[in-house]
């Protein structure tokens, strides 16, 4: 049996209208939020902190990819031997705040040494980690 014209026309209920209105508002809010993120140049896929393995299984380097700050992280099965020490506590971004992901560490063939690169302008630093204070340092490569 065929449908009559009266049966074919669907009148939305008040509930359906309210849901459609709510979905339209959510779409608008999402669009505004995305525009704000683009305006602020925020990439949520980039994380601010990264851990880099060294050839020493108990030592990692923690890099703040926004500022270039580096900590040496020591882990152990003995909690008395765990902790972190600072290799670089200076904000190398000059406070420009280009965002997370601006700095990256690259290992060298020497297990104690890495190269820190500022990916926004190409500046480089020679970084050395070590157990003793005097063997932990960072210096600019010109």
């Amino acid at each position: 049996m065929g449908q009559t014209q009266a049966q074919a026309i669907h009148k939305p209920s008040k509930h359906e209208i309210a849901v459609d209105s709510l979905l339209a508002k959510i779409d608008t809010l999402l669009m505004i939020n995305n525009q704000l993120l683009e305006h602020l140049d925020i990439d949520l896929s980039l994380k601010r902190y990264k851990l880099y393995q060294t050839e020493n299984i108990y030592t990692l380097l923690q890099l703040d990819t926004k500022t270039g700050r580096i900590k040496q992280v020591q882990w152990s099965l003995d909690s008395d031997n765990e902790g972190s020490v600072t290799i670089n506590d200076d904000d190398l971004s000059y406070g420009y705040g280009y965002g997370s992901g601006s700095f990256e560490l690259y290992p060298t063939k020497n297990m104690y040494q890495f190269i820190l690169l500022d990916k926004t302008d190409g500046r480089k630093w020679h970084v050395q980690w070590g157990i003793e204070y005097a063997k932990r340092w960072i210096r600019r490569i010109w």
Side-chain angles (χ1 to χ4, degrees), residues 109-120:
K109 299 236 180 221
N110 180 322
M111 71 180 274
Y112 296 100
Q113 299 181 3
F114 285 72
I115 301 298
L116 175 66
L117 175 67
D118 181 345
K119 297 189 302 185
T120 60

Side-chain angles (χ1 to χ4, degrees), residues 16-70:
E16 289 173 316
I17 292 171
V19 168
D20 286 346
S21 175
L22 183 59
L23 290 173
K25 287 178 184 176
I26 289 171
D27 281 344
T28 301
L29 289 173
L30 288 173
M31 182 182 69
I32 291 169
N33 187 47
N34 286 338
Q35 288 172 345
L36 286 172
L37 289 176
E38 286 174 13
H39 176 71
L40 295 173
D41 195 27
I42 295 173
D43 183 355
L44 297 178
S45 68
L46 296 175
K47 306 297 183 218
R48 182 165 177 173
Y49 296 95
K50 285 181 76 174
L51 284 175
Y52 294 85
Q53 290 183 328
T54 67
E55 289 184 35
N56 179 321
I57 63 170
Y58 300 107
T59 302
L60 299 120
L61 299 180
Q62 176 186 310
L63 173 65
D64 179 338
T65 66
K66 184 175 181 178
T67 65
R69 290 184 172 110
I70 304 169

Side-chain angles (χ1 to χ4, degrees), residues 86-104:
T86 299
I87 295 175
N88 172 46
D89 200 26
D90 294 330
D91 182 348
L92 301 176
S93 71
Y94 297 133
Y96 293 129
Y98 290 115
S100 297
S102 296
F103 290 90
E104 187 78 41

